[in-house]
Amino acid sequence: MSDRLKRVFLFMAPRNHIEPRSVGAVRPQTLHFAEPLRLKSGAVLDSYDLVYETYGTLNAAKSNAVLACHALNAAHHVAGWYAEDPDNVGWWDNMIGPGKPVDTDKFFVVGVNNVGGCFGSTGPKSVDPKTGNPYGSSFPVVTVEDWVNAQARLADRLGIGTFAAVMGGSLGAMQALQWTIGYPERIRNSIVVAAAPKLSAQNIAFNEVARQAITTDPDFHGGDYYGHGVVPRRGLRLARMIGHITYLSDDVMMEKFGRALSSGSIGFHFDVDFEIESYLRHQGDKFSEYFDANTYLLITRALDYFDPAAAHGNDLSRALAVARARFLVVSFTSDWRFSPERSREIVKALLDNRRDVSYAEIDASHGHDAFLLDDRRYHALLRAYFDGIFERL
Amino acid sequence: MLDLGCGDGVLLKYLEQTRNARGYGIDIDDANVLACVRNGVNVIQSDLERGLAGFDAGSFDCVILSQTLQAVRHTEEIVLEMLRVGREAIVSFPNFGRWDLRLQVALGRMPVSAELPYQWYNTPNVHLFTIADFESFCSGHGIRVLERVALHRGRPVGALANLLGSIAVYRIEKPR
């Protein structure tokens, strides 16, 4: 039997789990933290709010908690929907829910909007209690380490001593990795999807173009646009457009749009001719309506600065020497933003440390965004891994 | 331990449970990677043909290649890579020197047997070799044979291993 046929049969095989469902209507919650958060930069956030959601039930032993970390443009709304806004479905709803790979009948899943965000946790558009005005340009630069420190405090407040797993894709995966370094005794499994141990020069270059788009928008006002009644929409739109290009593969873009024309023929003008142009503009418009430009700057900077090996002579193996967790590392073949090669660097460092690690390279055509999509092989793997975590609880 | 071409990971699982060994499997196939995760063993999805560049020299006590050597393209490189990353290696392979296979060839047909159930047109085996071939390969590459057992139907054969053995298992090392 050919491998292809075998795969088809494998996926046709009946599964002995119930039909996946959604966690249903969910409601975000907010906790206030009065204890100052000392940031990597040396700055201090005197107090802050974290908005979060939870799904499933924390067991009596408090051993079944899973933290799902968000990437660039998402937040605490990981699964389910809002009663008042049923179309607003969580960003990892295909992964997390009853009967889903991360089964909320077994696990207690936490999603949190990171500090510096724009969806309810304290960030640049929040009011600085010292001035009574939005933080704007005075909001300190935050790092992945800072986020993880804040997440650990949230865990304290929720009564979670140790996470059964911390998981994330892309920038979320960097947080899952940082947990194993910053809090090795508080994480039993780290699920690192579509990650890189640090950004390449090309990655930083794309981020810089996005930031330049924002900061050169006349409506940016040095980051203090809130008082001017404007937002740097054009900049944010461009930033999203360039980002979006890096999330997709050349193949999937060609397959989805090709050179299709919006109006059937070229117009000999510089307005929209090609479908891909119209798609990118739409993505940019949508994004600029709900995302805060300062948060975009902060998050891209956090990506740039993430480099756990830097403090260890650029030796990732040494950086991960403290890690105690078991790891699942997953990459996608068509991801050119964080290619499989980047994930293999992480795997190599874990092998050097004799850590328990499994690594899968998923043959998916969707590029970096594949980590958010419902791919059978990917989801079957995550399901199997989480079944194993549950057995060891 | 490193198990190259580990399949569903049952060997690793067995050695972990019975010998308290720890290790990693390597396999290229998606279904095998998934099966390993289901079996709770570490697996690294990787193409053996690309070598073991992700592993440092001497990082394993033992590297295992079970019934796979005849199916890889870069046979020589893989054996040398195994002995680079492992202090010793265990290799098993079907012996094409067994008498009934020789007879089939003598009668003009490519051999088919319980250990080699494929026809010439669908076989994954690209390097066909015998116990004598492997021994000469070892001596030619400065590889020391630590232990050898030839099996037929699961039982060790005594003399005339190359004639009577259908499977050969070698424990080898490369003195540094």
Side-chain angles (χ1 to χ4, degrees):
Chain A
M1 199 187 291
S2 75
D3 276 356
R4 198 186 156 76
L5 262 180
K6 268 188 213 157
R7 273 187 210 127
V8 169
F9 274 93
L10 186 77
F11 294 126
M12 278 169 58
R15 296 189 190 157
N16 53 1
H17 61 81
I18 50 162
E19 200 53 34
R21 297 172 320 228
S22 167
V23 295
V26 295
R27 194 182 285 275
Q29 291 163 279
T30 304
L31 276 176
H32 181 71
F33 294 80
E35 190 192 342
L37 184 68
R38 184 167 292 279
L39 305 173
K40 191 179 180 185
S41 65
V44 175
L45 208 51
D46 289 331
S47 69
Y48 55 97
D49 288 346
L50 287 179
V51 58
Y52 66 99
E53 289 178 11
T54 69
Y55 324 104
T57 311
L58 188 61
N59 63 13
K62 299 183 174 181
S63 63
N64 67 335
V66 174
L67 177 65
C69 303
H70 69 79
L72 213 166
N73 47 40
H76 54 284
H77 185 35
V78 183
W81 66 77
Y82 295 139
E84 66 280 11
D85 184 8
D87 292 335
N88 189 351
V89 175
W91 57 271
W92 227 351
D93 190 71
N94 59 21
M95 180 71 78
I96 295 163
K100 290 183 180 175
V102 182
D103 190 341
T104 49
D105 289 336
K106 298 171 178 169
F107 293 102
F108 175 68
V109 182
V110 181
V112 57
N113 185 207
N114 285 320
V115 166
C118 53
F119 294 104
S121 291
T122 299
K125 73 175 187 184
S126 311
V127 171
D128 180 353
K130 278 185 197 146
T131 64
N133 294 316
Y135 283 96
S137 61
S138 71
F139 197 87
V141 169
V142 286
T143 63
V144 169
E145 292 93 320
D146 299 330
W147 287 338
V148 167
N149 291 339
Q151 290 162 2
R153 289 189 182 175
L154 175 66
D156 294 340
R157 291 277 287 274
L158 297 176
I160 300 163
T162 303
F163 279 107
V166 179
M167 66 189 303
S170 189
L171 177 57
M174 292 171 172
Q175 294 159 57
L177 198 59
Q178 176 58 33
W179 262 92
T180 70
I181 298 170
Y183 298 92
E185 71 293 347
R186 296 188 66 178
I187 168 174
R188 286 195 299 273
N189 293 274
S190 178
I191 289 86
V192 177
V193 184
K198 63 182 172 204
L199 263 57
S200 67
Q202 188 195 49
N203 295 147
I204 295 170
F206 277 116
N207 283 347
E208 171 59 5
V209 175
R211 281 191 296 268
Q212 282 286 307
I214 290 168
T215 56
T216 58
D217 185 324
D219 286 337
F220 182 63
H221 295 287
D224 296 311
Y225 43 87
Y226 311 102
H228 291 80
V230 291
V231 291
R233 184 156 287 148
R234 285 161 292 182
L236 199 51
R237 187 166 171 265
L238 269 178
R240 175 60 174 173
M241 285 166 81
I242 184 119
H244 207 84
I245 295 168
T246 69
Y247 305 148
L248 300 178
S249 69
D250 189 17
D251 283 350
V252 85
M253 245 193 214
M254 200 61 201
E255 187 187 303
K256 211 165 162 182
F257 306 102
R259 293 176 53 86
L261 297 165
S262 294
S263 58
S265 61
I266 54 170
F268 299 97
H269 54 59
F270 300 108
D271 205 347
V272 168
D273 260 341
F274 296 94
E275 286 286 355
I276 182 63
E277 296 174 315
S278 142
Y279 173 78
L280 281 180
R281 287 182 187 203
H282 173 69
Q283 290 293 330
D285 287 340
K286 226 171 56 178
F287 188 69
S288 65
E289 277 163 25
Y290 72 82
F291 209 86
D292 180 60
N294 281 318
T295 291
Y296 201 89
L297 298 182
L298 285 172
I299 295 188
T300 54
R301 217 29 159 181
L303 271 161
D304 293 353
Y305 285 172
F306 182 69
D307 183 6
H312 300 270
N314 293 318
D315 184 342
L316 187 62
S317 303
R318 273 172 54 200
L320 284 165
V322 294
R324 290 293 165 266
R326 298 167 71 102
F327 287 80
L328 176 65
V329 180
V330 180
S331 70
F332 300 95
T333 49
S334 59
D335 184 352
W336 59 277
R337 184 184 171 93
F338 294 158
S339 69
E341 198 51 58
R342 311 304 314 279
S343 285
R344 275 189 238 120
E345 292 172 35
I346 298 169
V347 172
K348 162 118 182 35
L350 293 169
L351 289 171
D352 288 345
N353 285 299
R354 303 281 183 275
R355 290 299 96 207
D356 281 313
V357 53
S358 282
Y359 169 64
E361 212 165 285
I362 307 288
D363 190 6
S365 64
H366 288 85
H368 189 58
D369 259 359
F371 85 87
L372 293 167
L373 303 177
D374 190 354
D375 178 285
R376 272 177 169 173
R377 272 162 292 176
Y378 167 44
H379 278 196
L381 188 80
L382 269 286
R383 179 186 296 283
Y385 194 81
F386 270 89
D387 286 348
I389 295 176
F390 185 68
E391 280 168 27
R392 292 190 301 269
L393 279 187
Chain B
M1 262 175 30
L2 186 64
D3 184 4
L4 306 180
C6 62
D8 60 7
V10 284
L11 175 64
L12 273 171
K13 191 177 183 179
Y14 173 80
L15 292 173
E16 281 175 13
Q17 287 172 348
T18 60
R19 306 289 171 90
N20 205 23
R22 286 194 60 231
Y24 306 89
I26 292 190
D27 210 288
I28 183 74
D29 183 69
D30 292 335
N32 284 338
V33 171
L34 178 59
C36 284
V37 170
R38 285 197 176 129
N39 275 322
V41 298
N42 294 319
V43 60
I44 311 294
Q45 188 162 27
S46 182
D47 184 359
L48 286 184
E49 304 279 9
R50 284 198 267 162
L52 301 172
F55 300 95
D56 288 342
S59 47
F60 292 93
D61 294 329
C62 184
V63 183
I64 298 170
L65 187 66
S66 178
Q67 303 273 49
T68 305
L69 199 56
Q70 77 285 355
V72 298
R73 288 195 71 77
H74 303 96
T75 317
E76 182 180 20
E77 289 84 348
I78 284 175
V79 174
L80 296 177
E81 274 287 86
M82 288 172 75
L83 293 170
R84 178 183 68 84
V85 304
R87 276 190 282 284
E88 58 177 68
I90 295 174
V91 179
S92 71
F93 56 86
N95 174 33
F96 281 78
R98 199 183 131 78
W99 67 268
D100 50 350
L101 305 185
R102 294 191 202 190
L103 186 62
Q104 290 184 53
V105 175
L107 292 173
R109 300 293 298 270
M110 285 303 284
V112 178
S113 70
E115 289 75 24
L116 298 161
Y118 304 99
Q119 297 293 334
W120 64 273
Y121 49 81
N122 63 10
T123 179
N125 300 326
V126 293
H127 284 116
L128 315 181
F129 59 102
T130 69
I131 286 177
D133 289 330
F134 188 71
E135 301 233 333
S136 118
F137 168 84
C138 288
S139 61
H141 287 80
I143 295 167
R144 185 189 295 159
V145 174
L146 300 169
E147 221 176 317
R148 176 190 90 177
V149 60
L151 303 162
H152 182 62
R153 297 199 173 141
R155 294 219 180 92
V157 300
L160 301 172
N162 200 29
L163 268 183
L164 301 178
S166 48
I167 300 274
V169 186
Y170 276 78
R171 194 158 69 84
I172 54 177
E173 68 168 13
K174 191 164 169 69
R176 281 164 221 279

